[in-house]
Amino acid sequence: MIDAPPPIEVRDVTMAYGDFVIQRDLNFPINQGDIFVIMGGSGCGKSTLLKHMLGLIAPAAGDIVYSGQSFVHANSNEQERMRQRWGITYQSGGLFSAMTLAENISLPLQLYTRFSPKERMEIIAYKLALVGLDGYQDYYPSEISGGMRKRAALARAIAMDPDILFFDEPSAGLDPISSRLLDELIVQLKESIGATVVMVTHELPSIFAIATNSVYLDANTRTMIAYGDPRELRDHSEQAVVRQFLTRSSATKIEETA
Amino acid sequence: MSDTAPVFQLDTTQSDTLILALTGDWIQGAGAPDFNDLRTNLNALSPKTLIVHFDNIEQWDSILMAFLLQCSNHCQDKGIALDTTSLPESAQRLLDVATAVRPHQRPEPGDYHWLTSINPLRMLKATMGNIRESLAFIGEVAMALANLVVGKANTRYVDFRAFCYQSGPDAFAIISLISILVGMILGYLGAVQLQQFGAGIYVADLVVIGTLREMGALMTAVVMAGRTGAAYAAQLGTMQTNEEIDAIVTLGISPMEFLVVPRMLALVVMMPLLTIYADVLGILGGALVAGGMGITPLQYFNQASAAVEMNHIMVGLIKSVTFALLIAVAGCRSGINSGRSSAAVGQAATQAVVTAIIYLIVADAAINILCQQLDY
Ligand SMILES: Nc1ncnc2c1ncn2[C@@H]1O[C@H](COP(=O)(O)OP(=O)(O)OP(=O)(O)O)[C@@H](O)[C@H]1O
Ligand SMILES: [Mg+2]
């Protein structure tokens, strides 16, 4: 059997804002069905890497390859076609503030599917119910709480049953129960629609609960220093920083006080 | 409470190992010493080790910590070993936390003298870049419009309708006020001059031609630049800040088709209508002034209707459509290119209005010269 190319491959990517290099020589694949976590300290470039993967900013060097097809070198029609298979939530939500939740979710459905208006309303109700927000169809994003906005953004991201889901800090700002429900939801979605999930998160419980693979970006050496199952990395990584990150112990001289 | 001034003393008996003795109350308002004094001393002596002695200090707060942090950063930079074991445990811990992450070194922004900002070559280059970007933006908008014509654009009719409402009926009150007043100003301007020649009745001609060809379209455009152009920039800038534009792009939707086209079309449809409305009110404003000069309304409107010609109206309408396009381009471009902060959104709105007014005046002059050459 010939191996299919992985759904996402990051190849020799260098990220920079102007002359200020944030990360260099990033090289790793993300395999089919993975729940893949991008980890690292604050400001190491996780959101920026995600923006490169989404094609919102071109990387300073290197390429992102989707199922064997380069995104950076694709023309805009091909890029658009690739994007239609993605679902994305942004760190600050990214819901359209001038539209109600129903309109937000309905937009991709209207553009890319042929559902009747009634079917569309049913699908919207179903997607909102998945994130516990059924009944909030006619609310504007400014009328719901921050955590609810996160969940609404997730509902929009899964509107089209995407092949790849990108989440930037999906559970930041959620209470522990909602955050656990969200983890479960992500696993369920992955299993039911067979999606590959890429997420940026700091939440250790959530990382150990659901992640199957990960990469660690280091702010000091400005490159990736670990790749693999986060549970493996926690126990056996050669890099002390990574073990400390994953066990929540401090990298400084302060001793843990019991 | 004891009120002893905070001081430091440097024991220099050993040249390699200095002892820094801190005494007094290191609290806010007690006049803590400046770290720069210590820095000068340290630079002069260049020791290998610095031992902090913390003697009978009864009170200390962030002032002490700020001093110690500078001390610690300086020692790190210069490779001096710093011994802080005599500090109270709480201060020790705070210092550890504060020094856990090294201060961020901003990349040098390059060596700019303020004079370079008025260097004509540099200004020319910036202007050319700006014009090139504007043209690229207009090109993208044109492609989006072409998609709209062939029915492939992701432009929503509801958006178009909402923006029509915002830029049309909502602007009625202010347009009414401005155009009546401008009509009156034109009337006074003409009346004073024309009455000297006993030609007072021609004030009607002056108001009609001035309003139809020039002031109706221009004043409407200035109001719309301030109202709608700035609003477009602020809306799109906030969407940029909110990552909404990112979301649109990654849904595979062109922001040009989805955001810019409905706004632009709404202005292009509403501006000529508003201009006609402003024309009518401007001529009415002129009638008020003429009435004050003893010209009866009948005489005024009789004279005015003779002066109304199709080509005057057409010039005004052509101008208003041109202005609408320019205001929409200035507003939407500033908004989409806005930075991601509240200050940047404010800047985008300002830039939208300033650019739009420059565009308006230049375009107005160009159209006038063209009409003059074509004898229209
Ligand atoms: N527009 C920008 N211009 C210049 N530098 C930027 C810009 N955006 C981000 N940076 C810098 O890039 C680095 C990485 O930022 P990024 O947002 O990717 O971090 P992150 O890993 O997502 O952090 P967090 O976990 O806090 O969200 C930071 O050091 C930041 O200062
Ligand atoms: Mg981030």
Side-chain angles (χ1 to χ4, degrees):
Chain A
M1 181 186 143
I2 305 159
D3 279 348
I8 312 176
E9 236 182 310
V10 173
R11 280 196 199 152
D12 297 321
V13 165
T14 294
M15 324 195 278
Y17 282 105
D19 293 337
F20 179 50
V21 174
I22 299 167
Q23 292 281 326
R24 57 166 56 94
D25 303 329
L26 301 182
N27 260 307
F28 58 89
I30 297 176
N31 299 316
Q32 175 61 42
D34 263 351
I35 294 183
F36 189 90
V37 176
I38 301 172
M39 308 182 287
S42 196
C44 69
K46 302 179 296 294
S47 295
T48 309
L49 176 59
L50 206 61
K51 292 219 159 115
H52 289 328
M53 296 172 93
L54 299 175
L56 289 169
I57 328 173
D63 198 356
I64 315 281
V65 181
Y66 286 95
S67 304
Q69 189 184 5
S70 157
F71 187 86
V72 174
H73 300 293
N75 67 33
S76 60
N77 277 340
E78 288 165 351
Q79 290 189 344
E80 215 156 280
R81 230 184 358 264
M82 288 151 100
R83 278 178 171 143
Q84 286 169 21
R85 302 311 309 150
W86 302 346
I88 304 150
T89 70
Y90 293 87
Q91 191 163 6
S92 53
L95 288 171
F96 306 128
S97 48
M99 300 183 195
T100 63
L101 297 193
E103 287 169 340
N104 262 286
I105 300 172
S106 150
L107 186 67
L109 297 174
Q110 266 172 329
L111 289 175
Y112 303 122
T113 65
R114 289 169 192 280
F115 293 120
S116 69
K118 182 170 158 292
E119 286 170 328
R120 217 161 43 222
M121 290 321 289
E122 287 165 6
I123 295 206
I124 291 169
Y126 164 62
K127 301 288 173 181
L128 281 173
L130 280 179
V131 295
L133 286 178
D134 194 9
Y136 285 94
Q137 274 88 336
D138 296 329
Y139 283 62
Y140 284 91
S142 57
E143 296 171 339
I144 58 179
S145 79
M148 288 157 87
R149 275 201 282 276
K150 289 242 149 164
R151 287 185 278 150
L154 180 67
R156 184 181 69 189
I158 58 177
M160 296 278 294
D161 295 335
D163 296 337
I164 308 178
L165 281 162
F166 295 95
F167 301 134
D168 196 352
E169 313 223 350
S171 49
L174 291 187
D175 63 272
I177 298 179
S178 309
S179 146
R180 218 200 68 228
L181 287 175
L182 191 79
D183 286 348
E184 264 169 37
L185 177 62
I186 291 173
V187 174
Q188 286 302 321
L189 285 171
K190 187 207 96 170
E191 313 235 296
S192 60
I193 57 185
T196 303
V197 178
V198 180
M199 59 181 189
V200 170
T201 181
H202 300 294
E203 309 277 315
L204 290 179
S206 135
I207 292 178
F208 294 129
I210 62 174
T212 56
N213 205 351
S214 66
V215 67
Y216 184 93
L217 307 183
D218 185 47
N220 290 326
T221 53
R222 306 247 162 103
T223 187
M224 53 186 277
I225 56 171
Y227 173 85
D229 185 321
R231 279 160 297 238
E232 284 284 307
L233 293 181
R234 171 188 57 191
D235 302 331
H236 306 294
S237 172
E238 294 129 41
Q239 300 283 347
V241 200
V242 179
R243 287 196 314 269
Q244 280 160 342
F245 181 91
L246 287 170
T247 51
R248 252 185 128 242
S249 59
S250 163
T252 70
K253 299 151 268 182
I254 316 168
E255 295 94 2
E256 278 298 287
T257 43
Chain B
M1 89 180 214
S2 66
D3 259 1
T4 43
V7 285
F8 68 80
Q9 238 167 2
L10 213 49
D11 180 347
T12 54
T13 40
Q14 289 166 277
S15 67
D16 267 2
T17 309
L18 299 185
I19 297 175
L20 176 69
L22 305 176
T23 51
D25 288 334
W26 285 69
I27 51 174
Q28 203 196 107
D34 190 350
F35 174 74
N36 285 329
D37 300 341
L38 178 59
R39 193 202 312 269
T40 347
N41 279 327
L42 289 179
N43 281 341
L45 298 164
S46 53
K48 292 219 168 52
T49 315
L50 183 68
I51 302 174
V52 179
H53 262 203
F54 196 81
D55 296 330
N56 52 47
I57 293 184
E58 288 181 7
Q59 309 176 51
W60 56 271
D61 63 12
S62 295
I63 294 282
L64 175 68
M65 296 315 300
F67 185 87
L68 288 173
L69 178 61
Q70 294 182 72
C71 210
S72 157
N73 284 339
H74 180 81
C75 289
Q76 278 240 335
D77 289 344
K78 297 276 175 310
I80 304 171
L82 181 69
D83 180 345
T84 54
T85 39
S86 87
L87 289 180
E89 197 177 340
S90 53
Q92 181 89 51
R93 274 177 185 275
L94 283 174
L95 191 62
D96 283 345
V97 173
T99 52
V101 178
R102 294 281 297 145
H104 175 68
Q105 233 75 45
R106 233 202 143 113
E108 289 288 314
D111 216 5
Y112 287 128
H113 192 265
W114 64 273
L115 270 176
T116 52
S117 67
I118 51 169
N119 175 345
L121 249 175
R122 185 182 287 267
M123 277 160 82
L124 188 72
K125 230 168 110 185
T127 317
M128 293 311 286
N130 206 344
I131 292 175
R132 190 162 346 107
E133 272 174 40
S134 280
L135 288 178
F137 186 86
I138 292 172
E140 282 184 56
V141 173
M143 271 156 59
L145 284 172
N147 274 347
L148 184 73
V149 171
V150 297
K152 282 200 312 193
N154 290 319
T155 306
R156 299 194 317 161
Y157 176 67
V158 279
D159 290 339
F160 169 71
R161 209 176 47 189
F163 292 123
C164 277
Y165 190 82
Q166 266 176 31
S167 52
D170 271 4
F172 257 18
I174 176 127
I175 297 274
S176 310
L177 179 73
I178 299 277
S179 41
I180 288 183
L181 288 179
V182 169
M184 289 175 70
I185 292 170
L186 279 179
Y188 277 118
L189 215 66
V192 174
Q193 305 300 320
L194 291 170
Q195 267 186 331
Q196 291 175 358
F197 307 105
I201 185 66
Y202 287 107
V203 85
D205 295 68
L206 191 136
V207 170
V208 165
I209 296 176
T211 305
L212 290 186
R213 290 188 78 105
E214 195 64 42
M215 295 317 266
L218 190 59
M219 291 318 290
T220 309
V222 169
V223 171
M224 295 311 270
R227 241 187 131 260
T228 311
Y232 286 177
Q235 288 163 359
L236 297 182
T238 311
M239 294 182 82
Q240 185 69 267
T241 313
N242 238 346
E243 300 185 298
E244 287 178 48
I245 294 190
D246 289 351
I248 288 171
V249 172
T250 47
L251 277 177
I253 304 175
S254 144
M256 291 292 156
E257 294 169 7
F258 193 70
L259 300 173
V260 176
V261 166
R263 285 176 169 80
M264 179 175 273
L265 286 185
L267 260 188
V268 168
V269 169
M270 295 318 286
M271 282 266 292
L273 298 179
L274 284 173
T275 301
I276 292 173
Y277 174 74
D279 287 347
V280 171
L281 287 190
I283 295 172
L284 278 178
L288 295 180
V289 174
M293 289 165 33
I295 300 171
T296 66
L298 191 65
Q299 284 173 308
Y300 178 87
F301 284 112
N302 204 11
Q303 184 72 20
S305 59
V308 175
E309 274 178 40
M310 203 53 205
N311 57 353
H312 296 329
I313 299 179
M314 284 315 290
V315 169
L317 291 184
I318 290 170
K319 279 185 179 174
S320 76
V321 170
T322 316
F323 294 166
L325 288 171
L326 293 175
I327 294 171
V329 166
C332 295
R333 192 171 86 89
S334 315
I336 286 199
N337 293 339
S338 152
R340 293 174 186 250
S341 69
S342 50
V345 173
Q347 251 173 22
T350 313
Q351 197 202 353
V353 177
V354 173
T355 324
I357 287 182
I358 294 174
Y359 284 173
L360 290 183
I361 304 293
V362 173
D364 193 31
I367 294 176
N368 283 344
I369 294 171
L370 200 68
C371 288
Q372 157 98 42
Q373 296 297 322
L374 295 177
D375 226 353
Y376 190 65

